[in-house]
């Protein structure tokens, strides 16, 4: 009996020691992960910061000055950092994770939009999904408005978009939120044969002007994801000092479309069997929905090549390049 008790006690002691050792090892491994993966959000040194404008007394206003006065945490190296989620350490894993959760509804994302349709100058239609609703936004006076754009083929119904929308609407500032759905997405009526692309800013420009006219006293803030981030960045650059946005946030912005396009068009298993079919499927469905609209014959589009396109670059070269009036695919990428 005593031998059995001693053996059991000894086994428990070994198990406890093993568990303690694993806990210590886990802690140091996690600390190592934190140290290795810690990403500085922004580097802003007062001596080397970019000069934004000169002042009357021969001084200068730098990026550091603006950040330090408006958002001081971004100038503090001890605060301006992020740690990626351990199990989502790559763009591929993040894409898969977001795709698997795209239609999920939970307490964080369960919202109902009110839709507004806005007609563009070329007769195209863009849908604006408001939360908590158009009526409540009109009654809210000068509350800030956040305008959100998703990535290619995305819409207001994606899980991560709905989570952000609800979090902003329920925050202390009670932001009013509107998701700007690209033409042809989110079941928006297709009323123009001209598609959107990663460098097409006119729809967003028209939408910003529309929201500004309706809410002249509200600060406008914009958030863009992926391709929506590229459109937002390009829009701000085009507007320059005339930009009416008070603040903008770009998330996973590709910046260089040529590099992004080359990576997506590279022949490998993931592109061939996952990304290319998904992107091409969404684009081809949008093109098919626009079959009832007549394209200008002068564009010289090869309809058979468009229908049979298997790679994104083929569709861009035959469709996007010609519709936008660019010389070739390289110019299309550079202008985007």
């Amino acid at each position: 009996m005593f031998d059995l008790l001693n053996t059991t006690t000894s086994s428990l002691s070994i198990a406890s020691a093993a568990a303690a050792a694993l806990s210590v090892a886990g802690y140091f491994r996690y600390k190592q992960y934190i140290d290795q993966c810690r990403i500085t959000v922004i580097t802003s040194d007062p001596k080397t910061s970019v000069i934004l404008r000169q002042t009357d007394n021969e001084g200068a206003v730098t990026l550091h000055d603006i950040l330090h006065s408006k958002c001081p945490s971004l100038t503090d190296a001890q605060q301006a950092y992020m740690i990626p989620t351990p199990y989502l350490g790559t763009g591929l894993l993040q894409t898969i994770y977001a795709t698997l959760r795209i239609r999920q509804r939970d307490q964080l994302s369960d919202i109902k939009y009110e839709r507004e349709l806005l007609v563009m100058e070329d007769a195209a239609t863009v849908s604006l999904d408001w939360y908590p609703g158009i009526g409540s936004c009109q009654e809210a006076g000068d509350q800030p408005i956040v305008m959100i754009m998703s990535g290619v083929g995305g819409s207001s119904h994606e899980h991560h978009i709905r989570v952000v929308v609800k979090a902003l609407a329920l925050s202390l500032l009670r932001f009013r939120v509107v998701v700007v759905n690209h033409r042809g997405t989110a079941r928006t009526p297709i009323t123009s044969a001209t598609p959107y692309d990663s460098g097409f800013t006119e729809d967003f420009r028209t939408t910003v002007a529309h929201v500004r006219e309706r809410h002249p006293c509200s600060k406008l803030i914009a958030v863009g994801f992926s391709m929506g981030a590229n459109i937002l960045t390009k829009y701000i650059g085009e507007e320059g000092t005339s930009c009416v946005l008070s603040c903008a946030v770009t998330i996973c912005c590709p910046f260089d479309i040529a590099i992004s396009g080359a990576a997506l068009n590279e022949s490998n298993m993931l592109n061939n069997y996952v990304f290319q079919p998904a992107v091409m499927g969404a684009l081809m469905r949008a093109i098919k929905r626009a079959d009832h609209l007549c394209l200008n014959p002068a564009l010289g589009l090869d309809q058979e090549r468009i229908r049979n396109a298997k790679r994104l670059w083929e569709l861009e070269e035959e469709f996007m390049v010609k519709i936008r009036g660019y010389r070739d695919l390289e110019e299309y990428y550079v202008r985007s």
Side-chain angles (χ1 to χ4, degrees), residues 49-267:
S49 185
V50 174
I51 296 176
L52 299 180
R53 65 176 183 270
Q54 300 292 337
T55 59
D56 295 335
N57 55 354
E58 297 185 356
V61 177
T62 66
L63 175 61
H64 178 86
D65 297 331
I66 299 296
L67 290 174
H68 191 67
S69 63
K70 301 294 184 181
C71 192
S73 62
L74 287 181
T75 61
D76 184 349
Q78 299 302 313
Q79 299 183 60
Y81 70 90
M82 64 165 288
I83 307 297
T85 304
Y87 53 86
L88 296 176
T90 69
L92 172 60
L93 292 175
Q94 293 164 16
T95 300
I96 294 173
Y97 179 79
T99 302
L100 293 175
R101 293 167 60 92
I102 194 168
R103 298 298 179 192
Q104 179 179 333
R105 285 201 169 270
D106 49 31
Q107 188 175 359
L108 297 175
S109 65
D110 192 16
I111 60 176
K112 185 176 181 180
Y113 297 108
E114 184 176 352
R115 174 160 290 191
E116 176 185 10
L117 296 180
L118 189 62
V119 178
M120 303 291 109
E121 188 175 342
D122 66 345
T125 303
V126 169
S127 60
L128 309 180
D129 286 340
W130 291 85
Y131 184 79
I134 300 173
S136 60
C137 288
Q138 290 174 334
E139 297 168 1
D142 60 354
Q143 268 184 279
I145 298 174
V146 180
M147 306 175 68
I148 298 178
M149 275 191 294
S150 67
V152 60
S155 72
S156 58
H157 299 294
E158 293 181 289
H159 181 261
H160 66 280
I161 298 290
R162 287 182 278 114
V163 168
V164 172
V165 169
K166 188 169 185 178
L168 288 170
L170 297 181
S171 66
L172 291 175
L173 292 178
R174 296 286 176 176
F175 293 101
R176 294 169 289 173
V177 187
V178 56
V179 182
V180 184
N181 294 307
H182 308 294
R183 54 175 67 187
T185 64
R187 299 181 180 178
T188 304
I190 296 182
T191 55
S192 170
T194 304
Y196 72 96
D197 61 55
S198 54
F200 187 64
T201 57
E202 286 307 311
D203 287 353
F204 186 66
R205 180 173 289 102
T206 301
T207 303
V208 171
H210 169 73
V211 175
R212 163 54 70 222
E213 183 179 7
R214 179 186 286 174
H215 304 282
C217 299
S218 297
K219 289 186 176 180
L220 301 185
I221 301 160
V223 178
F225 291 86
S226 191
M227 191 196 73
N230 190 79
I231 294 173
L232 174 57
T233 303
K234 188 167 182 279
Y235 163 81
I236 293 171
E238 291 170 347
E239 293 295 294
T241 56
S242 300
C243 185
V244 299
L245 299 177
S246 298
C247 173
V249 179
T250 62
I251 302 167
C252 297
C253 183
F255 288 113
D256 194 323
I257 301 300
I259 294 176
S260 302
L264 189 58
N265 283 308
E266 183 181 347
S267 182

